[in-house]
Amino acid sequence: MLQFENHYAGRLNSGLEHQLTPDHWAAHPLPPPPSYLWAPERKQVLECTMISLFLVLAIGSCLTNSLVPEKEKDPKYWRDQAQQTLKNALRLQTLNTNVAKNVIMFLGDGMGVSTVTAARILKGQLHHKPGEETRLEMDKFPYVALSKTYNTNAQVPDSAGTATAYLCGVKANEGTVGVSAATQRTQCNTTQGNEVTSILRWAKDAGKSVGIVTTTRVNHATPSAAYAHSADRDWYSDNEMPPEALIQGCKDIAYQLMHNIRDIEVIMGGGRKYMFPKNRTDVEYEMDEKARGTRLDGLNLIDVWKSFKPRHKHSHYIWNRTELLALDPHTVDYLLGLFEPGDMQYELNRNNVTDPSLSEMVEMAIRILIKNPKGFFLLVEGGRIDHGHHEGKAKQALHEAVEMDRAIEQAGSMTSVEDTLTVVTADHSHVFTFGGYTPRGNSIFGLAPMVSDTDKKPFTAILYGNGPGYKVVGGERENVSMVDYAHDNYQAQSAVPLRHETHGGEDVAIFARGPMAHLLHGVHEQNYIPHVMAYAACIGANRDHCASASSSGSPSPGPLLLLLALLPLGILF
């Protein structure tokens, strides 16, 4: 009897819309029940079961139909939509080959394709829509490519080696920043002579203003590759460095932030404690020992930062949102904003008095940088997408992704596609997924419309391949209906128990718009990205096309020069 019921229940609860239509059931009738089920003592049970099952079928059919927006039932809706998309695509035949005065790079740390899709649905549901049909700002970018994320010594990469690739144009070893693959992690004596510079440096050398905005520590893996050269991403301050590295002369990343490129116009994020002497009380968390200064060399790097700024320039160090919003960008030449001792708070946990949002930081950064007539380069990292996933907290991760999309929209409203190249990508993915045949409009944090056909327990649509969400209760998988799976800090179930969920190794998306965005067009090695940005902006080593364009009076490099310039580098194929 149980086997028979399960067969019916599996068919009725599969969540597949086509299985709830009369045509499907006519073509694929349920098999007759075994004869033993017709015994008199079982007949009543069977009749009740059949009634309840077909009641579910009827209700399911109604629900399925009600989930479809009325306009989507008309084929004309889909045909008109496709034709408009086609018209938009045909317009792209006229390439934007202008020189990019400005370049903005948005890096969603850990923002794999599954995260992008789930964030899209969440964005729509936050606006009381089903979600699937919603468009993220990055979805509106006309050019999309894929990035191969592996490190030189790792199939599944980390954020340091990948940052070196998409900022410095050179693939590197896992755990190292701003150095080539000749540098071995933790080995200070392999650093010298193997340093590689970033597109931020190239932009600064060309006279552009530059900025870094992140929701992590400003000396974390992603931003540090823009200015530092370190054999270990974890050398945040000298307190985290081994004695032999200090003896050999290596400098911590916070120190390098203040010394390597001294005139970075905008630096915003977390990481306050790495700038102050050991045990220095934090301005915001006076009683928290973990928030105290970490530096063993006794330096106050905020004072160092101030000392490097010309007296006739206006430099501002701030530590809270109130101070940020009070600034007049017209009177700010240099801005250092450190809003937390470590990483910034998750967007869902953010204090609206002390912590600015990513979009607020981006707005202020652009208002300051855009004053330079030569243009600017801005690196923006939505860094805590990655942290949410590592902790198995999908809700935190996805809200971080939605906030980064708001920042992309903010930047787009302040710049023009005619002179600003914007690139959105990720450093790597995560073992994050969602599925289970969920119906249209199902809460992205909700349950699948069925129970497991193995352990008979419900499961959430969102799951991880590994991580801290692996839980066994009474020798069995935890019953998620007994917990608050919609909680901000709920840890989604995982297949393999780990204290921290891992990165994924698949390709990630690159979204691009603006001058030369069409050069991001297929499947690329990750280190190709900064070469495109530099080419578009006429900075870095590959600038012959810019001189030719200038002498001819043309504002753009042109397709032929583009081809000639890239062929010797072997990066077109």
Side-chain angles (χ1 to χ4, degrees):
M1 178 65 189
L2 182 59
Q3 183 180 7
F4 176 67
E5 290 178 25
N6 286 344
H7 185 93
Y8 274 76
R11 290 279 294 272
L12 297 175
N13 292 321
S14 68
L16 291 173
E17 182 176 338
H18 73 271
Q19 291 190 354
L20 294 174
T21 62
D23 290 343
H24 174 83
W25 290 102
H28 305 280
L30 289 168
S35 58
Y36 70 84
L37 287 176
W38 294 109
E41 65 269 19
R42 299 181 185 268
K43 185 175 181 180
Q44 186 176 3
V45 174
L46 177 63
E47 288 174 347
C48 292
T49 300
M50 293 295 292
I51 291 171
S52 63
L53 287 171
F54 282 99
L55 180 61
V56 171
L57 172 60
I59 295 172
S61 298
C62 295
L63 284 174
T64 301
N65 290 331
S66 68
L67 293 175
V68 181
E70 198 61 33
K71 63 183 180 181
E72 294 185 12
K73 297 177 182 178
D74 185 350
K76 185 176 183 299
Y77 168 79
W78 297 106
R79 291 166 183 153
D80 289 348
Q81 182 194 72
Q83 287 299 316
Q84 184 57 52
T85 303
L86 179 60
K87 289 179 181 178
N88 294 341
L90 289 169
R91 294 192 192 105
L92 296 178
Q93 292 183 98
T94 303
L95 300 179
N96 181 349
T97 57
N98 296 338
V99 173
K101 176 182 177 182
N102 312 311
V103 177
I104 305 175
M105 183 176 197
F106 283 91
L107 192 286
D109 199 315
M111 191 181 69
V113 172
S114 58
T115 297
V116 172
T117 307
R120 177 188 304 132
I121 294 172
L122 174 58
K123 178 183 178 180
Q125 293 181 349
L126 290 173
H127 290 86
H128 311 293
K129 297 177 180 178
E132 297 83 2
E133 73 297 328
T134 300
R135 296 180 75 197
L136 294 167
E137 286 303 309
M138 64 187 91
D139 291 339
K140 301 173 186 177
F141 284 28
Y143 298 99
V144 181
L146 290 176
S147 170
K148 296 163 66 177
T149 64
Y150 67 92
N151 296 147
T152 48
N153 66 339
Q155 185 179 76
V156 177
D158 90 314
S159 296
T162 52
T164 304
Y166 61 73
L167 288 174
C168 304
V170 174
K171 286 225 173 192
N173 290 329
E174 173 269 339
T176 65
V177 291
V179 290
S180 72
T183 297
Q184 301 173 38
R185 185 171 188 177
T186 75
Q187 301 302 307
C188 168
N189 59 3
T190 64
T191 304
Q192 189 171 0
N194 296 319
E195 299 91 343
V196 292
T197 57
S198 75
I199 188 170
L200 184 141
R201 165 75 79 173
W202 309 339
K204 174 53 68 174
D205 290 346
K208 295 182 183 293
S209 293
V210 297
I212 296 170
V213 173
T214 180
T215 52
T216 65
R217 289 154 276 185
V218 294
N219 50 347
H220 207 253
T222 295
S224 64
Y227 58 82
H229 313 285
S230 179
D232 199 311
R233 58 175 286 178
D234 294 332
W235 292 350
Y236 301 118
S237 73
D238 56 352
N239 184 66
E240 289 78 38
M241 296 178 67
E244 60 269 21
L246 294 171
I247 293 171
Q248 291 169 0
C250 281
K251 297 296 183 181
D252 64 87
I253 296 172
Y255 181 96
Q256 293 189 56
L257 172 60
M258 300 307 175
H259 290 82
N260 287 4
I261 307 177
R262 298 183 178 185
D263 52 352
I264 298 175
E265 280 80 3
V266 175
I267 304 169
M268 282 191 279
R272 210 163 44 219
K273 67 181 180 180
Y274 304 106
M275 311 299 164
F276 293 104
K278 185 79 171 177
N279 293 324
R280 167 82 172 266
T281 301
D282 184 71
V283 65
E284 183 177 3
Y285 304 100
E286 296 181 1
M287 305 305 293
D288 187 353
E289 292 185 3
K290 293 182 179 179
R292 292 178 182 175
T294 65
R295 302 201 62 80
L296 300 177
D297 57 14
L299 288 176
N300 181 326
L301 290 181
I302 306 303
D303 290 342
V304 171
W305 177 82
K306 292 177 180 177
S307 71
F308 289 153
K309 302 300 173 284
R311 291 186 177 181
H312 66 283
K313 297 289 187 179
H314 298 90
S315 58
H316 296 261
Y317 166 66
I318 59 176
W319 66 268
N320 62 62
R321 179 176 182 265
T322 301
E323 292 177 333
L324 175 68
L325 299 184
L327 290 175
D328 178 1
H330 296 98
T331 63
V332 178
D333 297 307
Y334 297 97
L335 174 61
L336 174 60
L338 300 176
F339 303 105
E340 285 289 332
D343 300 315
M344 295 187 67
Q345 298 292 330
Y346 283 122
E347 177 63 19
L348 285 177
N349 303 344
R350 185 169 58 85
N351 183 317
N352 280 327
V353 175
T354 57
D355 296 329
S357 66
L358 182 61
S359 52
E360 289 171 337
M361 291 191 289
V362 166
E363 178 181 2
M364 182 58 70
I366 293 177
R367 291 174 70 186
I368 293 170
L369 298 174
I370 207 167
K371 295 182 297 181
N372 187 338
K374 293 185 177 181
F376 66 85
F377 170 79
L378 175 61
L379 171 64
V380 181
E381 182 196 20
R384 303 222 66 194
I385 301 170
D386 178 72
H387 295 174
H389 281 321
H390 278 309
E391 295 175 4
K393 299 174 181 177
K395 193 167 189 176
Q396 297 285 9
L398 296 184
H399 276 272
E400 292 295 307
V402 170
E403 173 56 26
M404 193 181 86
D405 199 63
R406 293 191 193 103
I408 296 169
E409 180 180 19
Q410 179 64 49
S413 70
M414 301 175 70
T415 56
S416 168
V417 294
E418 294 304 312
D419 68 358
T420 302
L421 171 64
T422 304
V423 176
V424 180
T425 189
D427 46 357
H428 54 74
S429 183
H430 275 268
V431 291
F432 161 85
T433 188
F434 70 99
Y437 301 121
T438 47
R440 178 76 177 271
N442 198 72
S443 168
I444 192 61
F445 305 115
L447 295 175
M450 67 187 82
V451 297
S452 165
D453 59 3
T454 301
D455 66 11
K456 315 306 177 190
K457 290 184 173 64
F459 59 96
T460 54
I462 286 176
L463 296 168
Y464 286 95
N466 57 50
Y470 180 95
K471 290 182 176 63
V472 175
V473 178
E476 297 182 344
R477 180 173 67 92
E478 182 181 53
N479 189 334
V480 295
S481 65
M482 306 300 290
V483 299
D484 182 6
Y485 51 81
H487 192 277
D488 290 352
N489 291 321
Y490 171 71
Q491 293 177 308
Q493 291 184 338
S494 65
V496 175
L498 286 177
R499 292 182 181 178
H500 301 283
E501 177 263 6
T502 72
H503 296 168
E506 71 271 23
D507 298 349
V508 297
I510 311 169
F511 305 86
R513 72 179 175 198
M516 296 293 176
H518 55 278
L519 298 181
L520 293 162
H521 60 87
V523 180
H524 302 297
E525 293 286 0
Q526 194 168 45
N527 67 293
Y528 171 69
I529 297 171
H531 291 275
V532 171
M533 295 190 293
Y535 184 90
C538 286
I539 60 177
N542 186 5
R543 291 182 290 179
D544 292 343
H545 60 290
C546 306
S548 300
S550 176
S551 63
S552 66
S554 170
S556 64
L560 180 59
L561 288 169
L562 170 66
L563 182 65
L564 292 174
L566 291 178
L567 274 174
L569 296 178
I571 56 178
L572 270 183
F573 307 102

